[in-house]
Amino acid sequence: MKMQLVLLSVIVILSFTAEKCRELVGKESFTSTAKERFTFLNCFDMSYGTMACILKEIVKLYLYYIRAVHVHKVRIEATERALAENMLQGQSFNEAMKLAREVGDATARQASLQAKHITGPVISSAWDLFETLYAGGSLAEGMVRSSGTLFGAYVGGIIGESKLRWVGFLIGSQLGSWFGGRIGLMVYDVGIGVQYLLKLMNERSSFYPIAKRETYIQQD
């Protein structure tokens, strides 16, 4: 409970600081993602949006293919090991094969779930990076946002799965992806605000010697 309160306090402080930084510098200098969002309709613009959607689907199919191959390999290996162990215990071939297949299926389900924990956040993170660049944002903004999305989707999926199994994983990963992306954008805005303050301090420090020199010349 204490950890949750601390985390909530940090998020509130970060949100407040990011808003003050936007007010200090001017909102037009900050996250471009808030100005324009990549929607499904952009897939039909016959330009970068169309290419992005096609590329996204190709990447998804490739990652799903890798996951399917990995899960199949894990199932075969687990089944063979279980069959050998059952045969050594003196079971008949049919009984040993039946139990071995059950072990293989259980192992395959676990491997598939573990693969989803990786492929889902990676796809969400890469898509947020592209969306930021498509909306006119900088590479730094895209990297910070996608990093937040990656972390949020992974953590949210793990927490959701522990509560509601696969349904919780879907809900948790989606919410975590969105929430992590927003946190990343707030961190980026705070970084821009800090850079702006440092720039003002440097300009002011470089202005004072010139002002003093002009004062000495006037006195002479």
Side-chain angles (χ1 to χ4, degrees), residues 13-120:
I13 294 173
L14 179 62
S15 177
F16 176 80
T17 305
E19 181 63 27
K20 290 302 179 183
C21 288
R22 285 190 287 267
E23 293 177 359
L24 175 65
V25 181
K27 294 187 177 182
E28 66 277 0
S29 302
F30 284 89
T31 52
S32 301
T33 309
K35 304 176 185 177
E36 182 178 354
R37 299 283 296 178
F38 190 95
T39 65
F40 179 73
L41 295 177
N42 294 117
C43 294
F44 302 97
D45 64 1
M46 304 305 294
S47 183
Y48 293 108
T50 302
M51 290 188 293
C53 290
I54 294 175
L55 180 61
K56 178 185 178 182
E57 295 303 319
I58 292 175
V59 171
K60 286 172 61 178
L61 289 175
Y62 180 69
L63 291 176
Y64 292 158
Y65 168 76
I66 293 177
R67 187 178 72 189
V69 171
H70 171 70
V71 171
H72 178 71
K73 181 180 179 181
V74 168
R75 176 186 282 109
I76 295 299
E77 292 177 350
T79 302
E80 291 178 349
R81 287 195 302 267
L83 177 61
E85 294 176 358
N86 294 337
M87 294 293 291
L88 290 176
Q89 294 176 2
Q91 299 178 0
S92 63
F93 178 79
N94 291 335
E95 184 180 359
M97 176 58 72
K98 179 181 178 180
L99 296 176
R101 286 175 178 173
E102 293 178 357
V103 173
D105 291 341
T107 305
R109 286 193 296 270
Q110 184 65 25
S112 178
L113 193 59
Q114 292 175 351
K116 289 180 181 178
H117 290 166
I118 299 174
T119 56

Side-chain angles (χ1 to χ4, degrees), residues 18 42 126 134 155 163 203:
N42 294 117
Y134 182 87
V155 174
K163 302 295 184 181
E203 291 178 353

Side-chain angles (χ1 to χ4, degrees), residues 178-190:
W178 180 87
F179 198 67
R182 303 284 81 74
I183 295 293
L185 291 178
M186 287 190 289
V187 171
Y188 176 79
D189 288 345
V190 172

